[in-house]
Amino acid sequence: MRPLTAVLPYAFDPLSDKTLELLSESPLVDSILILHRIPIQINRTKVKSFVTPNTGSGETLLRVIHSIQTRYLLYFSEPRILSFQSQALEKFIEEAEKKGSGIVYSDFYEEEEDRTIYHPLNDYQWGSVRDDFDFGPMILLSTRAIEKGLKKYGLLLETR
């Protein structure tokens, strides 16, 4: 089985088609779940629709985790076009496995009209993660680490 399930919020945007194409072509991606509030038809390789009332909730994450069987979840926090190469996904997995990380994130490039913009992110340091910490729009999560955290702490309550 391929190690990744990608999860993206749905966007009525032709730019997100490029991201879907990159993910569909990757030999590491088992499936791509598109989160949306109403049922839609998506005719693309590996893509499955996932209807949920709140695409960013902990409850949705829990439903996603229970519906997949891959070791990693590649989560896109927002529907924007990202420029990444197939080896970027390999490097994410390599880092997660080498260090036993529950989460891997990276600086990234964003394509905007006719230019590519580099977005550096802060490095993780003990105690640096707050509720406004910027992990960027693409995060690799270990499903084992998520399940361990849920078992230990339970599902976080929604505060907003």
Side-chain angles (χ1 to χ4, degrees), residues 14-33:
L15 291 178
S16 60
D17 283 344
K18 185 171 181 186
T19 303
L20 284 177
E21 186 177 321
L22 288 167
L23 292 168
S24 294
E25 292 172 355
S26 173
L28 298 173
V29 176
D30 180 66
S31 61
I32 303 164
L33 300 180

Side-chain angles (χ1 to χ4, degrees), residues 60-113:
T60 297
L61 176 62
L62 185 63
R63 285 184 50 220
V64 166
I65 289 296
H66 288 294
S67 73
I68 66 173
Q69 296 180 358
T70 55
R71 293 188 323 250
Y72 296 101
L73 182 126
L74 185 65
Y75 180 74
F76 290 79
S77 60
E78 51 192 85
R80 67 166 105 165
I81 182 68
L82 297 176
S83 178
F84 63 92
Q85 299 170 341
S86 61
Q87 50 280 33
L89 300 180
E90 291 172 15
K91 286 180 183 179
F92 265 43
I93 293 171
E94 190 178 293
E95 282 300 308
E97 291 182 350
K98 182 168 61 174
K99 296 181 180 176
S101 302
I103 184 170
V104 177
Y105 67 101
S106 171
D107 300 342
F108 64 98
Y109 294 92
E110 181 178 14
E111 290 186 16
E112 193 175 273
E113 296 178 20

Side-chain angles (χ1 to χ4, degrees), residues 1 3-8 30-31 33 35 48 50-52 54-55 57-75 102-103 139-151 154-155:
M1 174 178 284
L4 286 176
T5 297
V7 178
L8 300 94
D30 180 66
S31 61
L33 300 180
L35 305 177
K48 301 173 185 174
F50 196 93
V51 179
T52 180
N54 185 350
T55 60
S57 72
E59 184 179 321
T60 297
L61 176 62
L62 185 63
R63 285 184 50 220
V64 166
I65 289 296
H66 288 294
S67 73
I68 66 173
Q69 296 180 358
T70 55
R71 293 188 323 250
Y72 296 101
L73 182 126
L74 185 65
Y75 180 74
I103 184 170
I139 307 162
L140 182 75
L141 301 163
S142 161
T143 52
R144 178 179 284 152
I146 293 171
E147 289 167 347
K148 240 172 115 174
L150 286 169
K151 186 175 182 179
L155 187 62

